[in-house]
Amino acid sequence: MEAHSLLKKQGFDVSSYGTGTHVKLPGPSLREPNVYEFGTPYKHMFDDLRRKDPDLYKRNGILPMLKRNLSVKLAPQRWQDNAADGYFDIVFTFEEKVFDMVLEDLHNRDQVLLKSVLVINLEVKDNHEEAAVGARLALDLCEQIEAVESWEDSVDDILISFENKHRRKLLYSISFY
Amino acid sequence: MNPVSREKLASLSNSVKFATDLGPKLELCRQLKRDLLEEDAAALSEFLSHIFDLYSDPSGPVRKLATEIIGEIGVKHLEFVPEIAPFLITVLEDATPAVARQSISCSIDLFRHTLEKTAIQGLHSSELDSDLESSWSWMLKLKEKIYSIAFQPGSGGVKLVALKFVEAVILLYTPNPNGSSEPPPNEGTPIEFNISWLHGRHPFLNVGDLSIEASQRLVLLLDQLRFPTVKSLTTSVIVVLINSLSAIAKKRPAYYGRILPVLLSLDPPSFVIKEVHVYGANNALKNALLSCLQCSHPSAAPWRDRLLGALKDMEAGGLAEVALNQVHKVNGSVEDEKDHSSVIKEEKPMTKACDAAGSNVGRKRSGTEDSSGLAETGDVSGKRVRSTPSVSEESTKELNRNTSMSQGDISSAQSTTRKVDVDTGPVQQLVAMFGALVAQGEKAVGSLGILISSISADLLAEVVMANMRNLPPTHSHTDADDELLEDMCIVGSNTQAKYPPSFLVDVVSLSSTFPPIAALLNSQQSVPNEIVIQKTEVGEEVDVMAGPNSTVAYAGMAHEAENALLPGMEKIDVPTPSDIQDVGNLESGIPGLDSSFHYDGLSDAQAASSLVSTDLEDTSQEQGTSFGGKSPLHVLPSISIERSEELSPKAAVNDSSGVVSSTATSVVSSHPFVLPKMSAPVVNLSDDQKDDVQKLAYIRIIEAYKQIAVAGGSQVRSSLLAYLGVELPSELDLHKLLRDHILSDYINHEGHELTLRVLYRLFGEAEEESDFFSCTTAASAYETFLLAVAETLRDTFPPSDKSLSKLLGEAPCLPKSVLNLLECLCSPGISEKAEESQSGDRVTQGLSTVWSLILLRPPIRDVCLKIALQSAVHHLEEVRMKAIRLVANKLYPLPSISQQIEDFAREMLLSAVNIDAAEITDAEGLIIESHKDSELEKPSHEHQSVSSTGKDISAIFHQSETSQSGSSPSVPEAQRCMSLYFALCTKKHSLFGQIFIVYSSASKAVKQAIHRHIPILVRTMGLSSDLLEIISDPPTGSENLLMQVLQTLTEGTVPSAELIFTIKKLFDSKLKDVEILVPVLPFLPGDEVLLLFPYLVNLPLDKFQAALTRLLQGSSQSGPVLSPAEVLIAIHGIDPERDGIPLKKVTDACNACFEQRHIFTQQILAKVLNQLVEQIPLPLLFMRTVLQAIGAFPGLVGFIMEILSRLVSKQIWKYPKLWVGFLKCAFLTKPQSFSVLLQLPPPQLENALNRTAALKAPLVAHASQENIRTSLPRSVLAVLGLSPESQPSSQVQTSQAHTGDTNNSEKDAVAEISKESSGAS
């Protein structure tokens, strides 16, 4: 979401998605997570959790996170259900597990457009500070890819130079719509 | 066509042409596209050229858009293809890659649609219209062109799409096994095109040709990934290739056997030159393999083992297991499996043994699951294997067929053995071709025959052999409906009739690649078993090891099967003794995949068979079947087919032949009997029930663990228990159960080890940061668990127990709540006040825990230190003392934290001082009082306590405790804050200086507190150079403190020379107060003391008295500094005027001496008086002292008289002040003094009598005595008035004149003396 808001500010046409089956937020205990359907507005979650236990959720950072999300978009969306959103040029993931899920999903779709899509994984730890760093890196990468005429021809060079510059490992794959 | 829209379009296309700016131009283009796509074909044909013109535009985006428009028009109106295709071919050469890519993108759509249309039209009519035909030929040209791009060396974005195009064509050209094999009834239905619709019925689209082409293209694709071509590719191309190939493999499982070997032999690190992106390709490969693994198609099954192996090598083993589990999810044991794999992964560092065991379990399990998966798919294997032909008709033919089939099987098996894994391109192509033909069913029979006849026997054999690996272990469609069955029967019989048996074999083996057909064929063949014996005889005749029914081979698996826990067990046929000796059939008859069976199990055939027979009995009883022997055999999957092919195919064959000979006598034969499938009852549990079951199971496990101590090996087992407890709870609260178990008997259940294992497990999960949700929950679980255990340890174990400390010391991390617990332990009263009785010990426990944590866990050192420090300023004396002892004795010596401790202590000290700055003003006066108090009452206390407690700091606090009573309420508070600092002072003496500084501005209470501490503090410290330095330059205002320090220092010991020197120097230079010398007085030489004596006298009386005592007592070694006599003489030596000391002070000093009669005894006084009387001039206070001496010791009168008479001889009257005293003395000592008086010269006598009239009469009376009178001179008598003649007036006059002026002063003196004596008496 952090990357979403940053890229959005920079004028990129960007969407963000989850890949799980539900939106799961930590609850008071292991057995009682807060589970929402995709599409549940962040506002609703925010109010719900604030009603349940404001202290707990403020302390573990859930409420602030929801508040931030509120300002970016209405509700969480699910990657697997995003066919209607058209095709993307680049997909960023921030966790390898998600990367694999996105690729699997893309491979399972009917690839009729033959429009190539670059899927990049940038490993980012799930906390606010790292997310901010990761978002900036993603932006940097987007701008570099935007700068070349056709990334298909130069993706290796871009990514290698990015890796050298930021000392970050990237994982990428190419899929088709 | 509507002229309006035409015009509109024309103008639109014109404006596009002439627009100069890119933005508007593109917008116009898009609009044009929208409009165009609504037009009909006729209109479009006019405009097509316009749009072709657009392509001449210099800007890339416009050309791209133009291409896109043309492509879409083409898709919509295929009749334009002959025009569009050439256009697209030219566009392929475009300099802008994006445009060229667009061309390919359009091409694939166009190609698909053209193919579809061509195919469907061909299905419905035998003639195609020429337009379509030319369209198709153009498409083929386009296709070739794109192929050339795809397979030309080099890289680039265009190539990526071109490769994708190739993939699409391959998919289009090959039948989709999952798709419908019949075309949709009406053309409009949107259903994915499937080439198998054609069934060879098409005028010019030949399925076989297409299939061959696809196969060739696939080979080309595969070749790209082969060495060394792969080296020249960029990572992106490799990624795309891998993805494409895996997609093909997944969608066309027939190609599994060709694609996977290439993928598996890929080794990204070796080919990616720019090593930076090895893992990019690696990841793609991993995902590709994983997706292949997940494929549930039967032909994928034989590959699982190798895939797993490869994935494990790529360190994706865990994922692979998961993937596999997903495949087998049906069996329900997925969770278990997952648990195991993760256990294996994480256990590694801890116990190797466990690891091995775990992985074994895992592997075995995966094997069995495979088989269960098979069993699930149907009772197929039995049937398929039981290729028993139907006897109902033409038995000889059937037998023939049967034997030849087996023959075929065997030969193929052998050739497989020979050519282990060599991927023979042409052969594979042939296989694919066969596949395509077979897929067409009856129609293709003709072409099949031609194909076969045109292939050499060797090649045909190879084809068969190559296809063996594609044989699925199971068939998914066993329950083929009757109609089809009949159908196929016909087909089957037809085939038999027309074609040589070898061909039939091929069909059969091929058909196994295509399950529906295979199933049909097989079901046709599944028959009653009566024929078996007959058949086996036939088998004998055939000299090859043609097992009439390969199923028997499963007998060898008996013992293996025992281990398998299959939910759905399949009972199959039984080896019954028969006279057939050709046992070898058993093995050889197995269709290809059976080679995976464990021959080693069979090598001991005797054992195996006996095993079988026992099993047989069991099952026969169970099933109540009357047949002789049946063994429950589990169809094990051929998971290892590939491996065995690769590794030991020959060995396997040899093995089996060995078995043949060795078991020849034991005669195992094959009578397949199909028994009803026995499946375990499946009870669907609700979630709650599952929870309960899991819970109960876990409780059982825990209970079982209670015996483990006896069984041994608890080390390994307890880790299992811990992991179990942690892994399961995603659903249940098993932590609690585990915790209860641990806590129920912490010591005997190895609670510590178990707890730590659980904690590390949870901690690992929390730190993994896999995702926000799970790590947060794991963290909270961790905290709860640790806290609960810690609390229980605290509450149930005696304070002396070290478990808590050990636990906290070794736990992976300590969350805040645990630290809070520790804090409450160290500083009772923060939360609960109840357990007063135990708190002391508990505090010790807490503190020692904190101590060990500080030592063991540097990262949380600060926090722990804070706890200890808080405890060190605790309001309860007991707690504070313990904590201070820890901090000062144990922690302060640690260099890393000493500064911190010091700062804290100083802060507390200052805070105490600053508490009530307002009080300072009136503090000064009061402090003296309190100081006096403590000084007076302390010495006795101190001596006792100090001697007993030695150097222990705690003494300080005991001490201050005892003397605490009755002080102002803020004193305890001050003590609370300062105790720690004092304790530190004993460790670092230089800190002591701060106390001096603080002292001057401190409040009364604080001073009081300081004074209480000082004696023990100083005594503990001893005299150090630091202390000396402080003493040598005390800040102003700290005199009282300094005094106490000095007193303490000198008490009971001989002060060192340095100390004395320092004090003297201080006295000489800065501090003129002699008081500071008092403590060392006994150690000063006598003459120095005498010099100081006036100062001492000048002290307030009480201090003088103290000093006097010291002087007279002296030190134990050297004895008294001054004798009492010397003291008195020194006092008398003081001249008030010269020394600037008020007379009053001197008299007070005298009085003080006289008060101590036991020291200043009669003899001493006499001695002093004796000496004093000799002094010239006489000491001022001499007469006063005499008077006091008489008052004190009346027995001295005689001696005094002597003094008096000596005074007379010294003409005492010349000292007016003394004279008064003399007279007074004489008066007081009358009548003894009369004789002395009479010694006075007459004028003085007269003066005396005048002054003290009361003397006159008694003196006269005394003198009148005869004996005395006679001795008196006349002049005296005259004064007394005893002589008749008048006295010479002149004499009297002079004497009067002489004495007259002294009158006044003498009066004063007398008055004074009387006053004094009254005071003294």
Side-chain angles (χ1 to χ4, degrees):
Chain A
M1 284 303 278
E2 183 74 32
H4 183 166
S5 90
L6 183 68
L7 287 168
K8 197 172 154 193
K9 268 183 221 150
Q10 298 296 320
F12 284 92
D13 178 12
V14 55
S15 301
S16 57
Y17 303 94
T19 50
T21 48
H22 297 284
V23 180
K24 251 182 171 182
L25 296 173
S29 84
L30 202 65
R31 296 198 68 187
E32 307 158 81
N34 293 295
V35 179
Y36 300 96
E37 291 300 316
F38 275 100
T40 312
Y42 287 120
K43 179 84 176 101
H44 172 83
M45 301 182 196
F46 184 83
D47 293 340
D48 187 38
L49 295 185
R50 195 171 51 183
R51 186 171 45 76
K52 280 182 181 163
D53 188 347
D55 285 344
L56 171 71
Y57 295 112
K58 196 170 273 175
R59 191 151 31 87
N60 65 12
I62 305 290
L63 284 182
M65 186 186 79
L66 287 174
K67 201 158 196 172
R68 180 201 64 187
N69 294 356
L70 266 174
S71 67
V72 180
K73 62 179 188 179
L74 175 72
Q77 294 160 275
R78 184 161 188 260
W79 168 264
Q80 286 84 345
D81 305 330
N82 78 347
D85 298 3
Y87 57 82
F88 294 92
D89 295 311
I90 302 177
V91 178
F92 270 106
T93 63
F94 297 98
E95 195 183 335
E96 195 169 328
K97 199 173 77 187
V98 178
F99 177 76
D100 292 343
M101 287 173 89
V102 166
L103 282 178
E104 193 190 343
D105 176 66
L106 282 171
H107 290 160
N108 286 336
R109 296 187 187 189
D110 282 338
Q111 301 181 344
V112 287
L113 280 178
L114 282 204
K115 170 84 181 62
S116 49
V117 54
L118 179 61
V119 188
I120 302 176
N121 183 54
L122 175 68
E123 206 60 37
V124 172
K125 281 187 186 170
D126 199 356
N127 62 44
H128 289 299
E129 299 77 26
E130 284 294 308
V133 176
R136 278 196 300 279
L137 291 176
L139 174 65
D140 185 31
L141 200 49
C142 279
E143 283 169 343
Q144 285 187 47
I145 293 173
E146 181 89 342
V148 298
E149 189 190 7
S150 130
W151 60 259
E152 285 91 342
D153 296 323
S154 46
V155 59
D156 281 357
D157 298 331
I158 295 175
L159 295 188
I160 287 169
S161 78
F162 178 87
E163 288 184 335
N164 291 338
K165 183 173 158 198
H166 296 287
R167 302 260 146 237
R168 289 270 198 161
K169 283 218 166 183
L170 294 174
L171 201 55
Y172 84 90
S173 189
I174 296 167
S175 192
F176 292 85
Y177 272 104
Chain B
M1 178 174 182
N2 186 343
V4 180
S5 72
R6 177 181 304 190
E7 219 148 272
K8 194 175 132 206
L9 277 177
S11 71
L12 203 54
S13 69
N14 273 335
S15 51
V16 169
K17 225 176 276 179
F18 298 115
T20 44
D21 287 343
L22 188 57
K25 201 168 194 169
L26 285 176
E27 194 37 59
L28 284 169
C29 277
R30 282 188 199 107
Q31 201 187 333
L32 183 63
K33 177 178 155 192
R34 277 194 297 277
D35 293 347
L36 275 174
L37 290 178
E38 285 163 13
E39 297 300 332
D40 53 23
L44 283 175
S45 64
E46 283 177 44
F47 270 92
L48 214 50
S49 61
H50 286 286
I51 305 163
F52 287 156
D53 286 349
L54 273 185
Y55 179 69
S56 56
D57 196 279
S59 90
V62 176
R63 290 206 303 276
K64 179 167 177 267
L65 202 54
T67 313
E68 196 183 324
I69 294 172
I70 290 167
E72 286 190 32
I73 292 176
V75 169
K76 237 185 148 192
H77 307 282
L78 287 176
E79 58 269 30
F80 293 131
V81 166
E83 290 162 73
I84 289 173
F87 167 75
L88 288 178
I89 291 175
T90 49
V91 176
L92 283 178
E93 315 263 297
D94 195 285
T96 313
V99 182
R101 283 204 304 273
Q102 183 60 51
S103 162
I104 300 179
S105 300
C106 295
S107 301
I108 187 64
D109 254 358
L110 210 50
F111 187 84
R112 182 183 298 116
H113 282 88
T114 316
L115 175 62
E116 250 173 75
K117 194 166 178 189
T118 314
I120 288 170
Q121 209 172 74
L123 281 182
H124 296 294
S125 67
S126 53
E127 282 298 307
L128 287 176
D129 60 64
S130 58
D131 278 356
L132 197 55
E133 218 162 312
S134 81
S135 294
W136 177 239
S137 62
W138 268 113
M139 278 329 293
L140 291 179
K141 279 181 200 155
L142 179 60
K143 182 190 74 183
E144 289 305 321
K145 183 76 188 165
I146 298 176
Y147 277 177
S148 71
I149 295 175
F151 297 117
Q152 80 197 359
S155 315
V158 185
K159 183 169 178 169
L160 298 184
V161 193
L163 288 172
K164 204 66 194 165
F165 180 87
V166 176
E167 179 202 324
V169 173
I170 292 175
L171 290 177
L172 281 175
Y173 275 9
T174 48
N176 181 359
N178 298 322
S180 148
S181 61
E182 290 299 318
N186 47 341
E187 276 181 59
T189 328
I191 183 168
E192 206 194 338
F193 177 74
N194 192 345
I195 200 74
S196 58
W197 295 347
L198 293 179
H199 289 307
R201 288 176 289 177
H202 199 274
F204 59 85
L205 283 182
N206 186 324
V207 181
D209 293 347
L210 296 183
S211 171
I212 288 171
E213 185 190 328
S215 181
Q216 282 167 346
R217 296 304 157 192
L218 180 63
V219 168
L220 286 176
L221 282 183
L222 289 171
D223 281 345
Q224 298 233 337
L225 277 183
R226 284 205 174 90
F227 231 55
T229 332
V230 68
K231 280 197 125 165
S232 61
L233 302 177
T234 57
T235 317
S236 41
V237 173
I238 293 171
V239 169
V240 169
L241 270 173
I242 292 173
N243 288 342
S244 291
L245 287 172
S246 75
I248 295 175
K250 232 164 49 178
K251 291 177 185 165
R252 302 289 180 265
Y255 288 128
Y256 244 79
R258 306 179 60 189
I259 292 170
L260 280 187
V262 177
L263 289 185
L264 286 172
S265 65
L266 262 186
D267 180 21
S270 70
F271 65 73
V272 180
I273 307 159
K274 294 178 203 160
E275 73 286 349
V276 205
H277 258 109
V278 173
Y279 42 88
N282 228 338
N283 181 276
L285 187 56
K286 186 190 77 191
N287 283 333
L289 296 184
L290 270 177
S291 71
C292 290
L293 193 60
Q294 283 165 8
C295 179
S296 58
H297 194 274
S299 46
W303 290 94
R304 281 193 189 131
D305 217 31
R306 282 188 62 183
L307 282 171
L308 270 178
L311 284 169
K312 267 178 191 143
D313 289 346
M314 299 171 81
E315 291 166 11
L319 276 175
E321 300 253 347
V322 173
L324 197 62
N325 286 329
Q326 278 165 359
V327 177
H328 298 303
K329 210 153 202 166
V330 235
N331 290 321
S333 47
V334 192
E335 268 179 47
D336 268 11
E337 189 76 17
K338 236 188 266 173
D339 287 351
H340 277 289
S341 63
S342 51
V343 166
I344 294 158
K345 252 195 296 180
E346 313 206 18
E347 185 81 328
K348 246 174 219 162
M350 297 186 73
T351 46
K352 275 265 164 61
C354 172
D355 187 3
S359 61
N360 276 344
V361 171
R363 209 165 294 141
K364 205 173 280 171
R365 193 67 73 79
S366 69
T368 59
E369 295 212 353
D370 248 304
S371 62
S372 60
L374 291 181
E376 239 342 93
T377 353
D379 45 343
V380 199
S381 353
K383 278 183 190 163
R384 178 178 52 73
V385 169
R386 236 170 282 120
S387 47
T388 333
S390 93
V391 216
S392 53
E393 26 153 44
E394 301 164 310
S395 65
T396 44
K397 245 186 194 171
E398 289 294 340
L399 290 176
N400 265 341
R401 190 184 90 170
N402 184 33
T403 45
S404 53
M405 266 177 67
S406 335
Q407 208 166 7
D409 279 354
I410 284 144
S411 62
S412 69
Q414 281 171 338
S415 50
T416 317
T417 6
R418 251 185 283 121
K419 316 202 115 200
V420 179
D421 217 359
V422 190
D423 203 323
T424 46
V427 174
Q428 292 290 1
Q429 288 173 32
L430 275 174
V431 171
M433 207 150 59
F434 274 120
L437 285 172
V438 172
Q440 294 170 61
E442 209 175 347
K443 268 191 165 184
V445 165
S447 32
L448 257 181
I450 296 162
L451 183 60
I452 290 168
S453 59
S454 64
I455 299 174
S456 73
D458 283 354
L459 188 56
L460 187 58
E462 283 201 20
V463 168
V464 172
M465 177 273 292
N467 196 41
M468 290 315 290
R469 65 168 61 151
N470 294 338
L471 280 179
T474 65
H475 298 285
S476 42
H477 306 280
T478 41
D479 42 358
D481 51 300
D482 291 340
E483 196 188 338
L484 275 174
L485 179 82
E486 280 171 24
D487 230 11
M488 283 313 290
C489 280
I490 297 162
V491 173
S493 50
N494 280 345
T495 328
Q496 282 162 26
K498 286 178 190 164
Y499 300 103
S502 60
F503 168 61
L504 198 70
V505 173
D506 284 331
V507 172
V508 172
S509 63
L510 280 172
S511 66
S512 57
T513 323
F514 303 96
I517 299 166
L520 294 173
L521 287 176
N522 285 330
S523 48
Q524 175 209 5
Q525 291 162 353
S526 73
V527 282
N529 296 300
E530 278 82 308
I531 189 70
V532 165
I533 295 176
Q534 197 186 341
K535 221 180 0 147
T536 45
E537 278 161 8
V538 177
E540 260 179 323
E541 286 163 21
V542 182
D543 58 346
V544 210
M545 308 163 288
N549 32 40
S550 37
T551 25
V552 201
Y554 290 121
M557 295 306 299
H559 74 279
E560 184 75 48
E562 273 187 330
N563 307 342
L565 310 156
L566 295 185
M569 299 200 306
E570 195 174 353
K571 311 284 178 219
I572 21 161
D573 48 314
V574 200
T576 44
S578 84
D579 48 356
I580 299 162
Q581 297 183 345
D582 198 359
V583 200
N585 296 346
L586 301 183
E587 277 73 39
S588 47
I590 303 164
L593 57 103
D594 290 341
S595 56
S596 67
F597 291 137
H598 300 245
Y599 290 110
D600 43 348
L602 250 188
S603 65
D604 192 2
Q606 213 82 33
S609 58
S610 66
L611 220 126
V612 168
S613 57
T614 53
D615 275 317
L616 298 185
E617 283 169 24
D618 287 354
T619 41
S620 61
Q621 283 169 356
E622 236 173 59
Q623 304 194 341
T625 331
S626 58
F627 203 85
K630 300 172 187 82
S631 72
L633 291 179
H634 309 280
V635 183
L636 281 191
S638 56
I639 40 164
S640 56
I641 174 162
E642 275 308 311
R643 205 189 333 169
S644 56
E645 267 181 28
E646 239 172 42
L647 302 178
S648 60
K650 275 198 175 134
V653 172
N654 292 344
D655 228 6
S656 57
S657 58
V659 173
V660 173
S661 53
S662 70
T663 53
T665 47
S666 73
V667 232
V668 184
S669 183
S670 46
H671 293 261
F673 287 96
V674 185
L675 297 173
K677 180 174 161 187
M678 197 180 85
S679 57
V682 176
V683 180
N684 286 321
L685 297 176
S686 70
D687 284 353
D688 283 348
Q689 283 170 321
K690 278 184 195 159
D691 282 6
D692 287 345
V693 169
Q694 271 188 307
K695 217 171 201 163
L696 288 172
Y698 196 67
I699 292 172
R700 264 185 93 118
I701 294 171
I702 286 179
E703 288 303 317
Y705 267 76
K706 293 186 172 153
Q707 271 88 52
I708 274 199
V710 188
S714 55
Q715 174 75 10
V716 174
R717 294 178 186 201
S718 65
S719 26
L720 282 176
L721 184 60
Y723 286 124
L724 261 181
V726 177
E727 278 301 328
L728 290 175
S730 52
E731 305 294 338
L732 314 165
D733 193 14
L734 292 183
H735 296 282
K736 199 175 170 313
L737 294 175
L738 187 55
R739 212 160 62 210
D740 293 345
H741 166 68
I742 291 172
L743 297 175
S744 65
D745 195 344
Y746 192 77
I747 295 166
N748 292 334
H749 292 168
E750 308 206 343
H752 177 70
E753 289 74 14
L754 209 47
T755 309
L756 276 186
R757 288 204 164 93
V758 174
L759 290 178
Y760 269 97
R761 184 77 191 73
L762 287 170
F763 180 71
E765 213 164 277
E767 289 299 295
E768 203 177 18
E769 303 200 25
S770 53
D771 68 82
F772 187 52
F773 173 72
S774 67
C775 76
T776 313
T777 40
S780 79
Y782 175 89
E783 191 170 331
T784 321
F785 197 93
L786 179 56
L787 192 63
V789 174
E791 275 173 353
T792 318
L793 288 183
R794 178 197 62 189
D795 297 339
T796 53
F797 279 32
S800 55
D801 192 88
K802 291 273 180 265
S803 301
L804 181 61
S805 166
K806 196 173 166 206
L807 175 67
L808 296 186
E810 292 176 21
C813 84
L814 299 183
K816 202 164 179 304
S817 55
V818 176
L819 293 173
N820 284 341
L821 171 99
L822 207 53
E823 195 173 350
C824 294
L825 207 54
C826 291
S827 305
I830 286 185
S831 57
E832 75 267 60
K833 262 202 154 180
E835 5 142 30
E836 288 278 318
S837 55
Q838 282 202 322
S839 68
D841 290 339
R842 289 293 169 200
V843 170
T844 314
Q845 186 188 14
L847 287 172
S848 64
T849 305
V850 168
W851 179 37
S852 67
L853 287 182
I854 287 175
L855 293 179
L856 294 173
R857 315 196 77 133
I860 56 162
R861 183 175 281 169
D862 284 355
V863 189
C864 291
L865 182 59
K866 216 167 176 183
I867 294 176
L869 291 176
Q870 283 306 327
S871 183
V873 291
H874 194 262
H875 60 89
L876 285 183
E877 190 71 31
E878 188 190 8
V879 175
R880 191 166 69 223
M881 267 165 38
K882 287 176 190 222
I884 287 176
R885 216 174 305 162
L886 169 75
V887 172
N889 291 344
K890 302 274 172 58
L891 300 181
Y892 190 57
L894 302 176
S896 53
I897 50 175
S898 59
Q899 188 57 44
Q900 224 173 322
I901 297 174
E902 216 173 289
D903 291 344
F904 178 83
R906 179 173 295 126
E907 207 172 285
M908 290 310 294
L909 177 73
L910 292 176
S911 77
V913 173
N914 295 333
I915 286 172
D916 40 11
E919 266 188 62
I920 291 176
T921 43
D922 59 331
E924 286 300 330
L926 293 165
I927 196 71
I928 297 163
E929 211 177 277
S930 65
H931 171 56
K932 199 161 52 187
D933 287 346
S934 54
E935 205 179 271
L936 285 177
E937 65 187 25
K938 256 183 186 171
S940 56
H941 281 302
E942 282 165 9
H943 279 296
Q944 291 156 0
S945 60
V946 169
S947 57
S948 59
T949 49
K951 274 222 160 195
D952 196 340
I953 323 157
S954 64
I956 294 179
F957 311 105
H958 284 302
Q959 181 58 36
S960 45
E961 179 96 302
T962 56
S963 60
Q964 197 174 336
S965 55
S967 19
S968 81
S970 67
V971 173
E973 174 66 15
Q975 272 182 333
R976 184 180 75 79
C977 297
M978 294 190 299
S979 303
L980 179 62
Y981 193 84
F982 288 128
L984 295 189
C985 287
T986 63
K987 300 287 166 189
K988 188 174 173 187
H989 296 167
S990 57
L991 293 178
F992 197 46
Q994 182 73 33
I995 296 179
F996 276 82
I997 295 166
V998 165
Y999 182 85
S1000 55
S1001 59
S1003 69
K1004 173 185 134 192
V1006 172
K1007 284 186 177 169
Q1008 210 169 325
I1010 292 178
H1011 282 295
R1012 283 191 183 146
H1013 279 304
I1014 286 299
I1016 292 148
L1017 172 60
V1018 171
R1019 212 169 288 129
T1020 316
M1021 286 166 68
L1023 183 69
S1024 64
S1025 56
D1026 285 329
L1027 187 53
L1028 265 183
E1029 201 174 307
I1030 295 164
I1031 291 171
S1032 70
D1033 187 19
T1036 46
S1038 63
E1039 289 78 6
N1040 283 325
L1041 181 60
L1042 180 64
M1043 277 309 303
Q1044 202 193 359
V1045 170
L1046 293 180
Q1047 261 167 13
T1048 316
L1049 278 176
T1050 51
E1051 238 161 42
T1053 54
V1054 181
S1056 63
E1058 297 108 301
L1059 179 62
I1060 294 169
F1061 176 77
T1062 310
I1063 295 172
K1064 276 203 295 196
K1065 203 173 145 198
L1066 184 61
F1067 173 70
D1068 290 340
S1069 58
K1070 193 176 170 197
L1071 199 63
K1072 292 293 181 189
D1073 192 351
V1074 75
E1075 206 185 328
I1076 62 161
L1077 284 173
V1078 172
V1080 292
L1081 276 182
F1083 311 99
L1084 293 175
D1087 46 349
E1088 271 183 46
V1089 175
L1090 287 179
L1091 282 178
L1092 293 170
F1093 215 80
Y1095 299 105
L1096 292 176
V1097 171
N1098 200 21
L1099 286 172
L1101 188 61
D1102 54 317
K1103 287 180 184 164
F1104 173 73
Q1105 279 170 331
L1108 189 60
T1109 318
R1110 279 170 184 273
L1111 282 174
L1112 295 175
Q1113 276 173 349
S1115 62
S1116 49
Q1117 286 86 358
S1118 56
V1121 183
L1122 297 176
S1123 65
E1126 283 173 314
V1127 170
L1128 265 183
I1129 290 167
I1131 292 174
H1132 284 90
I1134 294 169
D1135 183 338
E1137 280 169 31
R1138 181 195 66 205
D1139 296 325
I1141 291 166
L1143 185 65
K1144 173 83 168 63
K1145 287 275 181 194
V1146 185
T1147 55
D1148 283 350
C1150 268
N1151 293 347
C1153 293
F1154 275 99
E1155 275 168 22
Q1156 305 187 35
R1157 289 194 192 169
H1158 57 284
I1159 295 170
F1160 294 91
T1161 57
Q1162 203 166 317
Q1163 292 73 24
I1164 286 173
L1165 277 180
K1167 189 177 160 197
V1168 169
L1169 291 178
N1170 250 334
Q1171 287 185 25
L1172 284 180
V1173 81
E1174 293 304 320
Q1175 286 184 3
I1176 297 168
L1178 282 169
L1180 188 63
L1181 292 181
F1182 181 71
M1183 279 322 297
R1184 191 176 171 279
T1185 305
V1186 173
L1187 282 170
Q1188 273 185 307
I1190 292 172
F1193 305 103
L1196 277 179
V1197 167
F1199 174 74
I1200 297 294
M1201 289 308 114
E1202 205 178 302
I1203 295 290
L1204 288 182
S1205 63
R1206 279 164 81 179
L1207 286 176
V1208 170
S1209 64
K1210 287 193 160 218
Q1211 300 187 321
I1212 183 70
W1213 53 86
K1214 288 186 177 164
Y1215 308 92
K1217 286 181 182 172
L1218 292 176
W1219 178 237
V1220 177
F1222 179 85
L1223 291 180
K1224 174 135 198 218
C1225 181
F1227 178 74
L1228 286 176
T1229 54
K1230 68 180 182 179
Q1232 290 89 334
S1233 60
F1234 288 157
S1235 58
V1236 179
L1237 281 174
L1238 292 177
Q1239 290 170 26
L1240 288 169
Q1244 276 70 36
L1245 182 61
E1246 191 180 1
N1247 182 300
L1249 291 178
N1250 285 343
R1251 283 176 178 246
T1252 327
L1255 266 179
K1256 191 166 182 179
L1259 184 62
V1260 171
H1262 175 77
S1264 320
Q1265 290 169 28
E1266 207 48 43
N1267 56 338
I1268 297 171
R1269 186 178 172 177
T1270 52
S1271 65
L1272 291 174
R1274 257 181 60 211
S1275 55
V1276 172
L1277 289 174
V1279 172
L1280 291 174
L1282 294 175
S1283 116
E1285 64 266 39
S1286 62
Q1287 291 166 1
S1289 58
S1290 62
Q1291 214 176 347
V1292 175
Q1293 284 292 326
T1294 53
S1295 85
Q1296 268 183 331
H1298 179 75
T1299 56
D1301 59 333
T1302 61
N1303 243 348
N1304 288 335
S1305 61
E1306 273 171 64
K1307 249 179 213 162
D1308 287 348
V1310 172
E1312 233 175 74
I1313 288 165
S1314 62
K1315 219 198 292 177
E1316 303 294 0
S1317 58
S1318 67
S1321 56

